[in-house]
Amino acid sequence: MEAVHKVEERSNVKELKSKKKKIKLSVKNINHTFKSQNGDMTKALSNVSLNIEEQGFVALVGPSGCGKSTLLNIMSGLIKPNQGQVLLDDIPVKGVNDRIGYMSQADTLLPWRNVIDNVALGLEIKDVSKEERYEIAQRLIDRVGLSGFENSYPFELSGGMRKRVTLIRTLAVDPEILFMDEPFGPLDCFTKEMLQEDILKLWQENKKTVVYVTHDLSEAITLADRVVIMTARPSIIKSDYDIPLTRPRSVMDIRFNSKFIELEKMIWNDLKEEVKREG
Amino acid sequence: MEAVHKVEERSNVKELKSKKKKIKLSVKNINHTFKSQNGDMTKALSNVSLNIEEQGFVALVGPSGCGKSTLLNIMSGLIKPNQGQVLLDDIPVKGVNDRIGYMSQADTLLPWRNVIDNVALGLEIKDVSKEERYEIAQRLIDRVGLSGFENSYPFELSGGMRKRVTLIRTLAVDPEILFMDEPFGPLDCFTKEMLQEDILKLWQENKKTVVYVTHDLSEAITLADRVVIMTARPSIIKSDYDIPLTRPRSVMDIRFNSKFIELEKMIWNDLKEEVKREG
Amino acid sequence: TGCGNSNEETAVDGNVEDSQTVESNELQKVVITEPIRSDLWAPIYLAQTLGFFAEEGIEADFQTITGGDPGAPVLAGEADFGLRGVDMPMMVTEAGQDVKILVSTTQRFPFTFIGQGPEFTTIESLKGQVVAGSTPSGSPTSWVKAAVANAGLDPEQDIEVPMVSAPGYVAAMSNGDIAACAGLTGYQTEMLLENGGVMLVDGRNPKAFKEIMGSEDYQMYIMFATDKYIEENPETVQSVVTAVAKAIQWQNESSTEEIVEALLPLFQDREEELLVSIQANKDYDIFSIDGKHTETGYQAALKLSKMAGVISKDIPAEKVYDESFLDNAWAKLGK
Amino acid sequence: MTIKYFKLRTMDFVWSIAVVLIFLVIWEVSVLTGKVNSFFFSSPSLIFKDIVRMQQNGDIMRHFGITVKQAGYGLFFGGLLGTIAAIMLGMNEKLSNILFPIMVGLNGLPKLALGPLLIIWFGIGIQSKIFMSALMVFFPFFFNVHAGYHNVDISLINTIKMMGGNRFQILSKVIWPSCMPWLIVSLRTGVGMAIVGAIIGEYIGSSRGLGWMIMDAGGTYNTTRVLSCIFLLTAFMAAIDYLIKFFEKKTLRWRPSIN
Amino acid sequence: MTIKYFKLRTMDFVWSIAVVLIFLVIWEVSVLTGKVNSFFFSSPSLIFKDIVRMQQNGDIMRHFGITVKQAGYGLFFGGLLGTIAAIMLGMNEKLSNILFPIMVGLNGLPKLALGPLLIIWFGIGIQSKIFMSALMVFFPFFFNVHAGYHNVDISLINTIKMMGGNRFQILSKVIWPSCMPWLIVSLRTGVGMAIVGAIIGEYIGSSRGLGWMIMDAGGTYNTTRVLSCIFLLTAFMAAIDYLIKFFEKKTLRWRPSIN
Ligand SMILES: Nc1ncnc2c1ncn2[C@@H]1O[C@H](COP(=O)(O)OP(=O)(O)OP(=O)(O)O)[C@@H](O)[C@H]1O
Ligand SMILES: Nc1ncnc2c1ncn2[C@@H]1O[C@H](COP(=O)(O)OP(=O)(O)OP(=O)(O)O)[C@@H](O)[C@H]1O
Ligand SMILES: [Mg+2]
Ligand SMILES: [Mg+2]
């Protein structure tokens, strides 16, 4: 909590903060420790609190293994934290919730379904008619350049293709809240930028709430309203930056924007400190 | 073949080329088409030829699904190409070869082995004594910040941690030739840069031959001697850039080097063209 | 419904070559269980194949119950009549079930005792050897023990009697696992002899049998029903017994070949074996000529059963036999 | 692909037949040269003649048909109940811990000893054979599907949960397809068990069927007939396996195959 | 962890016992009120008394011991051979396509019908029972491990290959651990099959053992004794399953568990 305050003072531009938005998702004093098969304890999250505003776009950045995925799992209700609470629209979250579309880090395509049936999965669960769900799925498949692979099974796809299928499977159901855990990790810069543009457009048009885990600082700055930095295990939230770049942003061009470069340098230095402290 | 020539003329700095090196690995006119379960044909590689010099560091860059992993699979002997030949030290490759250490894109940790036993796997296969292989494994585990997780099973690790284990498992056996397929995809920038430094040091000290697939252009330029650009499916080699930056390079600082920026811009424009042609 | 269904199944096969099938829808179906299809119950099968059952308005459905317990369905009311050895009704009577033997189809002891030739040609030579019995308390086992005891050996000490399934006798004898075993049918005896066996005691010979069991007669193969069934279906029982009596009469007058011929519909592909077995039955007078038991035969049966340990005390014959239906049948048939 | 698949299968089939033929020739020769006693081992030519005779007099259809029918029902009910039981116990861990050891215990019962009870419960009609067959089939299905259930990738279940899938959807969209390899092996073992069960059921009480015939022939030293029945059974089930293999190939084509 | 594990197991065990007890009470009451005929169904109290008597006169050890011993050998040999056969056929696809249908055919043979042949080959000593037991155990192991083999993640095999692993190393480091879930389910089914096999072997020829006892008791309408044997068997195998579960838990702890 202190971290957040500290950062808000530091935060360069305050104008965006003024349009006070409703808190959509609120994480309160989460502690979580894993007990592994060999009896070791791994404290993943230590007293983490975070408020995510309605229609906010929050990027989570932090060292590998710090607990980002764990935090998303807790927020989505997949894991019950040892301690603490998650509120969605001020109501405590118990178990999973289909208002959240969660694209997890792991490969979770159903191996026995071909691409189009994988993409249509969520719609199928929501009992959308076969015709409609195939239409939606086909449109998304075309959008991410997978036309022609509708009938391929996951094992016949390349790593990046699988990732794209996972992404559009999450988008297909058009969830109110989107959690994405490194959605573009193994994608080439071309595809990545195209998809980033798509996500931005989607978010701007439909005003979703997005929580986004990434390792790529410039990606985080390019996309998000807010970049939250987590420390190494046991993770606390170290800092919380507002990104006051104007919208709409062009993913291709923003990197040459001077504000962007300035922000990146600043956050970078902050992170470097963290790395040094760790090392 | 033309592409390569074309590029060599274009290539800015020629001085490195003068120290003519022996060809370690040579790919000759490879064609490969996958036949999928539903009967569709996917032509992945079209007449691909490539020479990799001894102690060279080659980065492969190309759009997702273009056939980079397929090319590595073919070079390593895992897949027999429909047509064409791979020569290792001028001897045709038949089947797999343990002179190549291949870190594939997929998660191939043995789920029933804990971290240290996974890292020691290659050494175990080479009949290295238990004591020695644990010592080597432990050193590598400490190096990549996984101390304390020696006894954890893969399912208890985060995505980035698994990737690091896969990386050091490949390094542990100290192979003559290293293939790495997106080794640092899901890693945070701190860990990534540390590991990049490590890879560079390893390569410089032990003068290995490295083939490296990445989506990150600046990573490719930072690390490699040569950046090979592949086109979308059916893949041909579009261009082949020499990277004449001096060694040793510092991963952290090189990005501010003007030559680096110049190179990145040039290759970037080349790629942009490719994207436009595709779209 | 279990019976209903199986009746349906056998309606087709029991009577394949029988002209009476036309009337089969008027016939009353009875279920008869058997542990194995043996010629020693020949009259019962003849009653079916020769149409005597049909004449009495009966159609029989034969259910072979090899594993498990062939008596159980009758006791449980799932079947109407059972074909068994005489020891079974005694056994269940002692256990408190009320059943009655209606007809006996054999009058002499049908078993033999055969040693592995050329080594074991006398019972004395079996000392310290392995001798096959069926189940530990089955009648073949007690027969073997009685024969051994009669020769002066102690059946509990001097020989070992493992359980061997009857089809395994020849195999076990020919590879030397057992030194001797009982021959349970004419055909089996023949097979054992053919494979080098030596006759130690021929139980079918009245003199030899009397020496061991004190009786020339022994009504081993019988048909029984429960008291409850007899009480509730006296007409059916009478019809069945009458038909069997007719078959006994027919059998008494017919040659081996005729009997085999008549049995074949229920003994498919067993002609060769039947010829041997039935000829032996004829030669040794094994088939009963009137279906009734004798006092000495019953005493021998009690003795054998007590030896086997399946009963512990004498049971009066009236508790086990009800031959009134048979008497009525003979009266009707004018005998 | 299908045509090529069948061509490949045909070659394998020819080879299978060849292996069997070689075996038969060795057997026949051993009998002819007196190395093997035909009283115990019969001989291929005798068996062949016997099968021809059975075919001509309609015995094959009469006895084989009923046994296969009983086994078919047994396979269906046993498989269905075994699968359902496994999934129900899978979904309720507590229940599973309590009932599982009991199931393991019941699996090892000598089914033949249940004869009398079976007759009391089901009579001596076709039901008792179907029950016996189903009982034998139940266990391989139960144990295999149970193991399959515990082998399901949890992250896939979570995916469906996150999409708002209910229990039934989790079952049908993840657990079921992921248990397929386990179900197919159950099917494979189950076919054999079903036949064995039907035959044991016939031992317990019957008036026709293969079990009846085997017992009848066994009791009268008709080795040829016993082996004819066994031979017919083996051939029948091998044929069934081609169907299972085809089904397996279709169902599991999402799985990269080991070469 | 182990202590807690055993505590948990103990609770489950108590519950399992409770379920059995409830069943026994219902049974006893049904017999006492005459709803069920004790001639066919005996009663729990009779069975209990009978077991006590068998315990006192040493029958349990004499008969139970030999059957368990035979089953133990059968499980060992059948399991070993089944596993080896499955892996050998797994490594040679051609061979597999040829022999597999034959195996499927053999699986469905009525083992009891093999009686005389068994006696010819193995006599009536312990070997024939071990063989019968092994034969019954062979098939679940064979089919399951075979399926497990085909379910192995190929990329893991490739990993070992790339590291220069030979066939044996691929087998021991990838195929074997990855077949573990399949082996455990074979073990579970196999324990039952081993006992059943030993008992069938005893039916064919024996002078003691549980099969002998069941036959003896069945022949003399001693339902109580038959059920005593069945009860002892069930309890024994349920106990064995606790061992298997413990082994499973240890072996498969690398697998995230479904909750
Ligand atoms: N099931 C589990 N059992 C035990 N420990 C676990 C489990 N899942 C995660 N952990 C531990 O929790 C810590 C945080 O993991 P998490 O996956 O949240 O990291 P992350 O921030 O997402 O890392 P990455 O960027 O590498 O994906 C790690 O140390 C990991 O070892
Ligand atoms: N086993 C397979 N069966 C059928 N098609 C396949 C198979 N493996 C790969 N392909 C196809 O080959 C093409 C190239 O795949 P490959 O994995 O080499 O791509 P890549 O360049 O590595 O992509 P990425 O960057 O996304 O990993 C893809 O279109 C893919 O669908
Ligand atoms: Mg993560
Ligand atoms: Mg790839």
Side-chain angles (χ1 to χ4, degrees):
Chain A
M1 288 301 276
E2 317 146 275
V4 178
H5 287 304
K6 189 186 80 193
V7 170
E8 272 171 14
E9 288 159 19
R10 263 215 245 153
S11 152
N12 301 35
V13 188
K14 292 247 166 180
E15 68 255 77
L16 273 179
K17 270 273 124 106
S18 55
K19 331 178 193 160
K20 262 274 178 264
K21 290 238 181 80
K22 182 170 163 290
I23 301 297
K24 185 83 185 167
L25 207 69
S26 168
V27 172
K28 296 221 155 100
N29 305 308
I30 298 271
N31 279 287
H32 194 71
T33 301
F34 286 103
K35 188 160 187 291
S36 78
Q37 291 295 319
N38 55 50
D40 292 357
M41 310 290 264
T42 308
K43 175 140 197 165
L45 297 174
S46 167
N47 211 32
V48 169
S49 296
L50 188 66
N51 287 326
I52 291 157
E53 291 154 349
E54 188 150 36
Q55 303 177 6
F57 197 128
V58 176
L60 281 178
V61 180
S64 167
C66 74
K68 300 180 294 297
S69 302
T70 306
L71 184 57
L72 285 192
N73 283 339
I74 289 173
M75 290 202 292
S76 66
L78 276 179
I79 298 185
K80 221 184 99 56
N82 297 153
Q83 219 186 314
Q85 218 183 9
V86 179
L87 302 175
L88 172 58
D89 283 337
D90 298 326
I91 298 159
V93 166
K94 292 203 188 320
V96 295
N97 193 311
D98 69 341
R99 290 164 63 195
I100 299 170
Y102 183 7
M103 176 184 176
S104 72
Q105 190 176 15
D107 187 352
T108 57
L109 294 179
L110 304 188
W112 42 81
R113 285 185 172 229
N114 61 22
V115 167
I116 196 161
D117 285 330
N118 257 300
V119 175
L121 177 66
L123 298 166
E124 202 179 312
I125 286 173
K126 299 240 179 316
D127 275 334
V128 175
S129 79
K130 188 166 181 150
E131 207 177 299
E132 195 181 340
R133 63 178 191 252
Y134 270 41
E135 201 194 296
I136 295 174
Q138 186 65 56
R139 211 182 51 228
L140 287 163
I141 288 171
D142 295 344
R143 189 72 194 87
V144 296
L146 287 174
S147 325
F149 290 93
E150 292 83 358
N151 296 317
S152 295
Y153 288 101
F155 84 93
E156 298 170 323
L157 303 179
S158 79
M161 290 159 89
R162 270 204 292 276
K163 206 76 194 174
R164 282 180 269 167
V165 177
T166 316
L167 174 70
I168 58 179
R169 181 180 70 180
T170 313
L171 296 182
V173 289
D174 196 19
E176 203 180 319
I177 304 167
L178 256 176
F179 286 1
M180 288 187 276
D181 199 345
E182 291 193 55
F184 307 132
L187 285 178
D188 61 290
C189 34
F190 329 120
T191 315
K192 191 190 287 191
E193 287 181 7
M194 187 187 77
L195 290 177
Q196 286 169 345
E197 297 269 15
D198 278 356
I199 291 280
L200 273 186
K201 213 155 76 196
L202 186 84
W203 173 74
Q204 259 154 331
E205 281 167 15
N206 307 29
K207 281 297 175 192
K208 294 186 184 311
T209 308
V210 177
V211 182
Y212 193 98
V213 171
T214 179
H215 286 125
D216 186 340
L217 187 55
S218 63
E219 179 177 274
I221 301 172
T222 307
L223 299 176
D225 280 344
R226 240 170 100 194
V227 174
V228 174
I229 311 285
M230 291 173 78
T231 66
R233 217 169 335 99
S235 260
I236 56 165
I237 291 183
K238 184 179 188 260
S239 10
D240 190 337
Y241 292 92
D242 279 328
I243 306 298
L245 300 172
T246 50
R247 306 260 183 192
R249 304 177 188 164
S250 152
V251 176
M252 285 266 182
D253 305 328
I254 200 168
R255 62 172 68 206
F256 307 111
N257 178 315
S258 63
K259 252 191 200 162
F260 178 98
I261 296 171
E262 189 186 336
L263 267 168
E264 189 175 13
K265 247 184 203 152
M266 187 182 73
I267 302 180
W268 185 256
N269 286 328
D270 190 11
L271 288 178
K272 230 172 176 175
E273 227 169 72
E274 172 69 12
V275 179
K276 278 201 191 106
R277 197 167 56 78
E278 253 190 282
Chain B
M1 288 303 277
E2 317 145 276
V4 178
H5 288 304
K6 190 187 79 190
V7 171
E8 271 170 17
E9 288 158 18
R10 265 216 242 154
S11 156
N12 303 37
V13 188
K14 293 248 166 181
E15 70 256 76
L16 272 177
K17 269 271 124 76
S18 54
K19 330 178 194 160
K20 262 275 179 266
K21 291 236 183 81
K22 184 171 163 285
I23 300 295
K24 186 79 184 169
L25 207 69
S26 167
V27 172
K28 294 221 156 103
N29 304 308
I30 297 273
N31 280 286
H32 195 72
T33 301
F34 286 104
K35 188 157 185 292
S36 77
Q37 291 294 320
N38 56 49
D40 293 356
M41 311 290 263
T42 309
K43 176 140 194 161
L45 297 173
S46 170
N47 211 32
V48 169
S49 296
L50 187 66
N51 287 327
I52 291 158
E53 290 154 348
E54 187 150 36
Q55 303 177 4
F57 197 128
V58 176
L60 281 178
V61 180
S64 166
C66 73
K68 301 178 296 296
S69 302
T70 306
L71 184 58
L72 285 193
N73 283 339
I74 288 173
M75 290 202 291
S76 66
L78 276 179
I79 297 185
K80 223 185 96 61
N82 297 152
Q83 221 187 313
Q85 218 181 10
V86 179
L87 303 174
L88 172 58
D89 282 337
D90 298 327
I91 298 159
V93 166
K94 292 203 191 318
V96 294
N97 192 312
D98 69 340
R99 289 163 63 196
I100 299 170
Y102 183 7
M103 176 184 172
S104 72
Q105 190 176 17
D107 186 353
T108 56
L109 293 180
L110 304 187
W112 43 81
R113 285 183 172 232
N114 60 22
V115 167
I116 197 161
D117 285 329
N118 257 300
V119 175
L121 177 66
L123 297 166
E124 201 179 314
I125 286 173
K126 300 239 178 318
D127 274 334
V128 174
S129 78
K130 188 164 182 153
E131 207 177 300
E132 194 181 339
R133 65 181 190 250
Y134 270 40
E135 199 194 298
I136 296 173
Q138 186 64 57
R139 210 182 53 229
L140 287 162
I141 287 171
D142 294 345
R143 190 71 195 89
V144 296
L146 287 173
S147 325
F149 290 93
E150 291 84 358
N151 295 317
S152 296
Y153 287 101
F155 84 92
E156 298 170 325
L157 303 179
S158 80
M161 288 160 93
R162 271 203 291 274
K163 207 77 193 174
R164 282 180 269 167
V165 177
T166 316
L167 174 71
I168 58 178
R169 181 181 71 179
T170 313
L171 297 181
V173 290
D174 196 20
E176 204 180 320
I177 303 167
L178 254 178
F179 287 0
M180 288 186 276
D181 199 346
E182 291 193 55
F184 308 132
L187 286 178
D188 60 291
C189 35
F190 330 118
T191 315
K192 191 190 285 190
E193 287 181 7
M194 186 185 77
L195 291 176
Q196 286 169 343
E197 297 268 17
D198 278 357
I199 292 281
L200 274 186
K201 212 155 77 193
L202 185 85
W203 173 75
Q204 259 153 332
E205 282 166 14
N206 308 30
K207 282 296 175 195
K208 296 185 182 311
T209 309
V210 177
V211 183
Y212 192 97
V213 171
T214 180
H215 286 125
D216 186 339
L217 187 55
S218 63
E219 179 177 272
I221 301 172
T222 307
L223 299 175
D225 279 342
R226 242 172 96 194
V227 174
V228 173
I229 311 285
M230 292 173 76
T231 67
R233 220 172 329 103
S235 260
I236 57 165
I237 290 182
K238 185 181 188 255
S239 11
D240 190 335
Y241 293 92
D242 280 327
I243 306 299
L245 300 173
T246 49
R247 306 261 183 192
R249 303 178 188 163
S250 153
V251 175
M252 283 269 186
D253 305 330
I254 201 170
R255 60 171 69 205
F256 307 111
N257 178 317
S258 63
K259 252 191 201 163
F260 178 98
I261 295 170
E262 188 186 335
L263 268 167
E264 189 176 11
K265 248 185 200 149
M266 186 181 76
I267 303 180
W268 185 256
N269 286 328
D270 190 10
L271 288 179
K272 231 173 174 172
E273 230 169 72
E274 171 68 11
V275 179
K276 279 202 190 105
R277 196 168 57 78
E278 254 190 280
Chain C
T1 50
C3 303
N5 241 331
S6 40
N7 283 345
E8 224 169 76
E9 283 164 40
T10 28
V12 211
D13 73 303
N15 274 349
V16 244
E17 284 144 53
D18 210 313
S19 52
Q20 265 95 356
T21 25
V22 210
E23 309 165 24
S24 65
N25 46 355
E26 295 152 33
L27 297 178
Q28 189 194 345
K29 285 165 186 161
V30 297
V31 178
I32 303 178
T33 64
E34 55 192 5
I36 185 173
R37 190 151 297 172
S38 166
D39 53 277
L40 292 164
W41 288 294
I44 320 289
Y45 303 115
L46 291 172
Q48 170 78 5
T49 58
L50 295 172
F52 300 141
F53 276 149
E55 283 170 22
E56 300 293 327
I58 299 288
E59 189 191 308
D61 167 15
F62 292 99
Q63 290 284 336
T64 317
I65 299 182
T66 328
D69 172 18
V74 183
L75 297 176
E78 291 285 338
D80 306 321
F81 299 91
L83 306 183
R84 286 302 296 270
V86 65
D87 50 335
M88 183 266 175
M90 295 197 264
M91 207 190 309
V92 298
T93 300
E94 198 174 78
Q97 301 284 306
D98 294 317
V99 302
K100 290 286 179 293
I101 296 172
L102 298 166
V103 180
S104 306
T105 58
T106 60
Q107 60 177 4
R108 297 257 187 274
F109 195 71
F111 297 172
T112 57
F113 188 31
I114 294 175
Q116 186 203 35
E119 235 176 298
F120 303 102
T121 53
T122 60
I123 296 182
E124 288 74 18
S125 66
L126 296 178
K127 197 172 159 84
Q129 297 299 320
V130 179
V131 178
S134 57
T135 54
S137 39
S139 47
T141 303
S142 5
W143 155 245
V144 164
K145 285 186 175 170
V148 169
N150 187 58
L153 298 183
D154 179 351
E156 304 305 326
Q157 302 293 326
D158 292 339
I159 56 169
E160 191 194 331
V161 189
M163 172 175 87
V164 178
S165 63
Y169 283 176
V170 182
M173 194 132 114
S174 73
N175 73 357
D177 271 324
I178 54 173
C181 67
L184 305 181
T185 67
Y187 186 70
Q188 194 180 41
T189 297
E190 195 66 30
M191 283 302 114
L192 287 163
L193 294 175
E194 251 179 38
N195 279 274
V198 179
M199 183 72 77
L200 300 174
V201 186
D202 192 343
R204 300 172 297 186
N205 180 332
K207 293 220 168 42
F209 185 67
K210 187 168 185 186
E211 201 193 314
I212 297 170
M213 299 301 304
S215 164
E216 296 195 346
D217 307 325
Y218 193 101
Q219 292 81 21
M220 180 177 272
Y221 282 69
I222 56 100
M223 178 173 81
F224 76 97
T226 59
D227 284 12
K228 182 161 174 275
Y229 182 80
I230 295 172
E231 233 164 72
E232 287 169 4
N233 307 280
E235 290 84 10
T236 312
V237 174
Q238 186 61 61
S239 306
V240 167
V241 174
T242 305
V244 172
K246 278 187 199 169
I248 291 177
Q249 211 171 24
W250 181 88
Q251 183 181 261
N252 290 341
E253 294 155 4
S254 306
S255 69
T256 301
E257 287 73 21
E258 282 167 334
I259 296 172
V260 171
E261 173 81 28
L263 282 176
L264 273 183
L266 286 172
F267 288 72
Q268 271 177 355
D269 299 323
R270 286 173 61 175
E271 193 169 356
E272 182 195 351
E273 170 228 342
L274 280 184
L275 282 171
V276 174
S277 279
I278 293 194
Q279 188 60 49
N281 295 344
K282 289 237 147 208
D283 292 347
Y284 289 93
D285 269 339
I286 284 172
F287 283 133
S288 176
I289 51 167
D290 59 4
K292 301 185 62 152
H293 79 284
T294 60
E295 187 50 34
T296 53
Y298 184 62
Q299 288 308 323
L302 281 174
K303 194 173 155 193
L304 203 62
S305 297
K306 276 194 281 188
M307 274 176 58
V310 297
I311 58 171
S312 53
K313 47 185 181 294
D314 283 353
I315 298 165
E318 314 85 75
K319 279 222 72 173
V320 177
Y321 282 100
D322 180 353
E323 291 175 344
S324 60
F325 295 96
L326 192 58
D327 292 336
N328 290 340
W330 289 128
K332 190 174 153 201
L333 295 175
K335 187 183 167 189
Chain D
M1 188 207 74
T2 319
I3 290 169
K4 198 171 152 212
Y5 173 76
F6 275 116
K7 263 198 198 136
L8 253 165
R9 281 273 161 265
T10 311
M11 268 317 294
D12 291 337
F13 177 70
V14 170
W15 270 104
S16 294
I17 298 287
V19 168
V20 173
L21 278 182
I22 291 169
F23 170 73
L24 292 180
V25 166
I26 293 174
W27 179 2
E28 183 79 37
V29 168
S30 307
V31 171
L32 286 178
T33 58
K35 282 227 178 60
V36 153
N37 186 344
S38 72
F39 179 77
F40 297 117
F41 292 96
S42 186
S43 84
S45 55
L46 288 174
I47 291 171
F48 180 71
K49 273 182 224 142
D50 192 48
I51 290 178
V52 169
R53 191 169 64 197
M54 283 202 287
Q55 172 58 39
Q56 280 163 355
N57 68 16
D59 269 2
I60 290 191
M61 277 327 292
R62 232 158 56 85
H63 294 289
F64 204 76
I66 185 79
T67 302
V68 167
K69 180 175 156 193
Q70 290 159 356
Y73 278 112
L75 183 62
F76 175 76
F77 289 116
L80 192 69
L81 292 175
T83 308
I84 291 176
I87 288 175
M88 274 176 46
L89 258 58
M91 305 224 284
N92 189 332
E93 206 196 358
K94 200 77 209 150
L95 198 67
S96 167
N97 286 338
I98 294 167
L99 294 185
F100 201 79
I102 299 178
M103 293 290 193
V104 173
L106 294 179
N107 177 37
L109 294 190
K111 310 290 182 297
L112 210 50
L114 298 179
L117 296 184
L118 208 66
I119 286 176
I120 290 174
W121 284 325
F122 296 98
I124 46 180
I126 193 170
Q127 289 93 331
S128 57
K129 286 112 204 165
I130 293 178
F131 176 80
M132 186 56 94
S133 178
L135 187 67
M136 299 281 289
V137 170
F138 179 87
F139 291 103
F141 271 86
F142 176 75
F143 289 120
N144 277 309
V145 177
H146 183 268
Y149 191 96
H150 283 267
N151 216 30
V152 171
D153 185 344
I154 292 165
S155 64
L156 300 186
I157 294 183
N158 284 340
T159 302
I160 305 278
K161 272 194 194 161
M162 285 299 312
M163 290 175 165
N166 55 30
R167 281 195 148 205
F168 175 74
Q169 285 168 325
I170 291 176
L171 201 64
S172 63
K173 298 192 202 306
V174 176
I175 293 175
W176 184 253
S178 132
C179 283
M180 260 302 146
W182 299 86
L183 256 170
I184 286 171
V185 70
S186 315
L187 193 61
R188 203 155 252 157
T189 329
V191 170
M193 291 291 128
I195 294 272
V196 171
I199 288 177
I200 292 183
E202 284 168 5
Y203 287 180
I204 288 171
S206 63
S207 51
R208 58 187 177 124
L210 278 182
W212 183 89
M213 214 165 170
I214 289 174
M215 268 297 154
D216 192 43
T220 56
Y221 294 92
N222 191 345
T223 317
T224 304
R225 176 56 56 89
V226 172
L227 292 174
S228 297
C229 293
I230 286 186
F231 191 84
L232 284 175
L233 265 182
T234 310
F236 175 72
M237 280 185 305
I240 290 280
D241 193 53
Y242 280 96
L243 287 182
I244 297 181
K245 268 226 180 89
F246 182 65
F247 174 71
E248 182 180 22
K249 204 95 185 172
K250 285 227 109 170
T251 322
L252 299 185
R253 61 192 169 141
W254 51 267
R255 204 170 62 170
S257 64
I258 203 166
N259 54 345
Chain E
M1 188 206 75
T2 318
I3 290 170
K4 199 173 150 210
Y5 173 76
F6 274 116
K7 263 198 200 137
L8 255 163
R9 281 274 162 264
T10 310
M11 266 318 292
D12 292 337
F13 177 69
V14 170
W15 271 103
S16 294
I17 298 287
V19 168
V20 173
L21 278 183
I22 290 169
F23 170 73
L24 292 180
V25 166
I26 293 175
W27 180 2
E28 182 78 38
V29 168
S30 307
V31 171
L32 286 180
T33 57
K35 283 226 178 61
V36 153
N37 186 342
S38 71
F39 180 77
F40 294 116
F41 292 95
S42 187
S43 84
S45 55
L46 288 173
I47 293 172
F48 181 72
K49 272 181 222 141
D50 191 49
I51 291 178
V52 169
R53 193 170 61 203
M54 283 201 286
Q55 173 57 38
Q56 280 163 355
N57 69 15
D59 270 3
I60 290 191
M61 277 327 292
R62 231 161 58 87
H63 295 289
F64 204 75
I66 185 80
T67 303
V68 167
K69 180 176 158 191
Q70 290 159 357
Y73 277 112
L75 183 63
F76 175 75
F77 288 115
L80 193 69
L81 293 174
T83 308
I84 291 176
I87 287 175
M88 274 175 48
L89 257 60
M91 304 223 286
N92 189 332
E93 207 197 358
K94 198 79 208 149
L95 198 67
S96 167
N97 285 339
I98 294 167
L99 294 184
F100 200 79
I102 300 177
M103 292 291 192
V104 173
L106 295 178
N107 176 38
L109 294 190
K111 310 292 181 300
L112 207 50
L114 299 178
L117 296 184
L118 205 69
I119 289 179
I120 293 271
W121 284 325
F122 298 98
I124 51 173
I126 192 170
Q127 289 95 329
S128 58
K129 286 111 205 165
I130 292 178
F131 176 80
M132 186 57 94
S133 179
L135 187 67
M136 299 279 290
V137 170
F138 179 87
F139 291 102
F141 271 86
F142 176 77
F143 288 119
N144 278 309
V145 177
H146 183 268
Y149 190 96
H150 283 267
N151 217 31
V152 172
D153 184 344
I154 292 165
S155 64
L156 300 186
I157 294 183
N158 284 340
T159 301
I160 304 277
K161 273 194 192 158
M162 287 298 313
M163 290 177 167
N166 55 29
R167 279 195 152 206
F168 174 72
Q169 284 168 324
I170 291 176
L171 201 65
S172 63
K173 297 192 203 306
V174 176
I175 293 174
W176 183 253
S178 132
C179 283
M180 261 301 146
W182 299 85
L183 255 170
I184 286 170
V185 71
S186 316
L187 194 60
R188 203 156 252 159
T189 329
V191 170
M193 291 290 130
I195 293 273
V196 171
I199 288 177
I200 291 182
E202 285 169 3
Y203 284 179
I204 290 170
S206 63
S207 45
R208 58 190 178 120
L210 278 182
W212 182 89
M213 215 164 170
I214 288 174
M215 268 295 182
D216 184 29
T220 53
Y221 291 92
N222 191 346
T223 317
T224 303
R225 177 57 58 86
V226 172
L227 292 174
S228 297
C229 293
I230 287 185
F231 191 83
L232 284 174
L233 267 180
T234 311
F236 175 71
M237 281 186 303
I240 291 279
D241 193 53
Y242 280 96
L243 287 182
I244 297 180
K245 268 225 180 92
F246 182 64
F247 174 70
E248 181 180 24
K249 204 94 186 172
K250 285 227 110 167
T251 323
L252 299 184
R253 62 193 169 140
W254 51 268
R255 205 169 62 170
S257 65
I258 202 166
N259 55 344

